[in-house]
């Protein structure tokens, strides 16, 4: 089957080509480095399937253009599907699939990297030593042992993070609209209400999907309920956090540390080399200027294991669709 693969980087090609070669029934993968948007949808004309990533546009206009040009399947190379309008897809007769599960260790372990880099100020220490400045002033951290981490969303990634942080000797609090027994079976982990999690946690890490309900879950009101100097980590989706409220929180000291792998307006920035351009996003530039903020550009998933899983599942989704088999990873509108 011919597949228009959008937003491709060299590593996508490498892993997809390998998975495709190993599949009994290879597909014709045509790579586009451009993002899927209304004005690029024509690239997929005549392709039964389009394969997209986190910042591709799956809004009604783009989906209709794809469907009108003969596309029948949209398969996402990611877990979150907030960028695809499922109602519009259904109306256009498009099937939507995703990668429901891939190494959850990739994201959970990146969270630990952000926590410790912020806590022990590794980003600053690295630069100091390179500058022959061996002073420790300003680099004081804290022991994770005995601290409380609040995990919002205790699904696949939240669960692994709870296990890891238990290993550090942290107390683990969780909040989830669908609590699961596996979480409560971990060491000290226990579920609390969201306000309790905000009030009691030294570190808060977000692992719920972006939905209508979770948009700006971290608002000014939420930040005001947190412990002064809290560490906030977001590796889930940028729109979970009201960035302007977070900036105010950092300026007042209410937020002591911010680690983000996702950003509200990241579609205009991430996955591209903009080092020769002047960034026009003042909010992003302000965030970057704070010493207690670390931003990574949506790289939490970026391990060999995760890319291998993503590629294999993507090829399986394509094959199942072509062979009119049920797609295990199909995403449907809730009944
Ligand atoms: P998952 O579906 O296994 O877990 C999500 C959990 O969030 C579920 O337990 C669900 O019940 C819970 N949830 C839903 N709505 C909630 C709400 N309103 N409040 C609290 N909890 C709620 O998903 P996962 O694999 O653990 O991934 C979590 C998120 O991480 C994804 O939705 C995606 O946005 C993000 N992600 C980011 C990267 C990255 O590279 N930065 C990679 C993979 C996933």
């Amino acid at each position: 089957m011919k597949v228009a693969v959008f937003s491709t980087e060299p590593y996508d090609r490498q892993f997809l080509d390998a998975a495709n070669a190993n599949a009994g029934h290879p597909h014709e993968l045509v790579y586009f480095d451009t993002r899927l948007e209304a004005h690029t949808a024509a690239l997929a004309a005549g392709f039964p399937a389009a394969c997209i990533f986190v910042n591709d546009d799956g809004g009604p206009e783009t989906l209709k253009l794809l469907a009108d040009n003969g596309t029948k399947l949209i398969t996402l190379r990611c877990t979150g599907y907030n960028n695809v309008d499922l109602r519009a897809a259904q109306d256009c007769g498009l099937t939507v699939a995703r990668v429901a599960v891939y190494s959850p260790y990739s994201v959970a372990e990146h969270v630990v990297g952000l926590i410790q880099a912020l806590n022990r100020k590794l980003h600053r220490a690295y630069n100091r030593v390179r500058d022959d400045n061996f002073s420790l002033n300003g680099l004081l951290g804290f022991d994770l042992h005995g601290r409380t981490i609040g995990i919002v969303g205790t699904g696949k990634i939240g669960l692994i993070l709870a296990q890891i942080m238990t290993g550090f000797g942290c107390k683990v609090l969780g909040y989830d609209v669908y609590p699961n027994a596996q979480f409560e079976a971990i060491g000290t982990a226990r579920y609390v209400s969201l306000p309790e999690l905000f009030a009691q946690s030294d570190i808060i890490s977000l692992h719920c999907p972006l939905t209508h309900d979770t948009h700006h879950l971290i608002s000014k009101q939420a930040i005001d309920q947190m412990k002064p100097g809290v560490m906030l980590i977001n590796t889930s989706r940028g729109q979970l956090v009201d960035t302007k409220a977070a900036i105010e929180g950092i300026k007042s000291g209410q937020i002591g540390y911010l680690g983000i792998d996702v950003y509200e307006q990241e579609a205009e920035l991430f996955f591209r080399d903009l080092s020769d351009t002047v960034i026009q996003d003042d909010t992003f530039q302000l965030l970057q200027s704070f010493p207690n903020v670390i931003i990574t550009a949506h790289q939490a998933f970026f391990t060999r294991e995760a890319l291998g899983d993503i590629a294999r599942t993507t090829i399986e989704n394509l094959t199942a669709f072509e062979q009119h088999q049920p797609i295990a990873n199909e995403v449907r509108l809730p009944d």
Side-chain angles (χ1 to χ4, degrees):
M1 182 165 62
K2 272 185 84 176
V3 186
V5 187
F6 285 90
S7 296
T8 42
E9 296 290 341
Y11 46 82
D12 293 309
R13 291 170 200 233
Q14 181 193 335
F15 282 86
L16 282 170
D17 282 347
N20 200 28
N22 286 334
H25 180 79
H27 299 277
E28 189 184 332
L29 305 179
V30 178
Y31 294 111
F32 299 108
D33 51 12
T34 181
R35 258 196 290 157
L36 173 65
E37 291 170 294
H39 73 276
T40 60
L43 290 169
F47 288 70
C51 177
I52 66 171
F53 196 45
V54 290
N55 291 325
D56 286 302
D57 172 43
E61 186 190 357
T62 307
L63 294 183
K64 180 155 186 343
L65 288 164
L66 286 178
D68 287 348
N69 281 330
T71 298
K72 302 270 184 234
L73 171 72
I74 306 275
T75 192
L76 292 119
R77 303 193 296 283
C78 50
T79 313
Y81 49 88
N82 48 282
N83 52 332
V84 175
D85 185 320
L86 293 180
R87 165 114 12 232
Q90 183 175 288
D91 292 348
C92 299
L94 281 163
T95 300
V96 180
R98 63 170 175 150
V99 180
V101 185
Y102 64 82
S103 167
Y105 301 99
S106 59
V107 180
E109 291 174 12
H110 189 73
V111 170
V112 180
L114 287 173
I115 291 173
Q116 282 298 69
L118 284 163
N119 169 22
R120 308 304 293 266
K121 302 169 177 63
L122 300 180
H123 52 310
R124 303 183 68 193
Y126 173 79
N127 284 325
R128 268 194 202 183
V129 171
R130 283 171 64 93
D131 209 18
D132 297 338
N133 174 355
F134 307 112
S135 158
L136 298 184
N137 290 319
L139 300 184
L140 193 63
F142 58 84
D143 286 357
L144 286 179
H145 184 91
R147 296 287 173 148
T148 300
I149 178 160
I151 300 177
V152 181
T154 56
K156 291 177 287 298
I157 296 169
L159 207 57
I160 303 287
L161 182 65
Q163 288 166 344
I164 297 173
M165 298 315 288
T166 301
F168 274 101
C170 291
K171 277 188 251 163
V172 179
L173 302 179
Y175 170 75
D176 198 303
V177 282
Y178 299 107
N180 73 64
Q182 271 178 294
F183 176 77
E184 288 183 298
I186 299 171
T188 61
R190 64 187 177 91
Y191 281 113
V192 292
S193 68
L194 197 53
E196 274 180 85
L197 184 147
F198 287 155
Q200 292 178 29
S201 302
D202 300 298
I203 302 168
I204 296 173
S205 192
L206 306 178
H207 299 288
C208 56
L210 173 63
T211 63
H212 185 68
D213 292 338
T214 59
H215 183 265
H216 284 189
L217 183 81
I218 305 301
S219 58
K220 178 182 177 337
Q221 243 185 339
I223 293 167
D224 287 346
Q225 293 171 50
M226 296 175 189
K227 279 192 182 179
V230 67
M231 181 186 290
L232 178 64
I233 307 286
N234 184 13
T235 56
S236 200
R237 284 293 180 268
Q239 292 99 316
L240 295 182
V241 176
D242 177 342
T243 314
K244 296 227 159 69
I247 286 174
E248 287 314 309
I250 292 161
K251 285 165 78 174
S252 72
Q254 179 68 3
I255 295 178
Y257 315 77
L258 177 70
I260 56 173
D261 185 55
V262 287
Y263 166 65
E264 273 196 282
Q265 307 300 332
E266 70 173 51
E268 301 309 315
L269 302 171
F270 288 3
F271 306 117
R272 285 185 279 169
D273 179 357
L274 300 177
S275 52
D276 283 333
T277 58
V278 175
I279 304 283
Q280 301 295 324
D281 183 334
D282 296 347
T283 306
F284 185 81
Q285 294 300 68
L286 181 56
L287 259 186
Q288 286 223 68
S289 71
F290 299 121
N292 52 351
V293 172
I294 295 185
I295 305 173
T296 53
H298 211 135
Q299 73 170 81
F301 73 101
F302 200 55
T303 66
R304 277 184 204 92
E305 291 76 8
L307 288 190
D309 292 345
I310 290 169
R312 270 188 301 278
T313 303
T314 299
I315 299 297
E316 284 165 14
N317 289 346
L318 292 165
T319 303
F321 180 78
E322 190 184 22
Q323 297 181 349
H324 306 289
Q325 304 288 333
I327 307 178
N329 292 296
E330 185 170 346
V331 187
R332 291 170 185 274
L333 268 178
D335 293 331

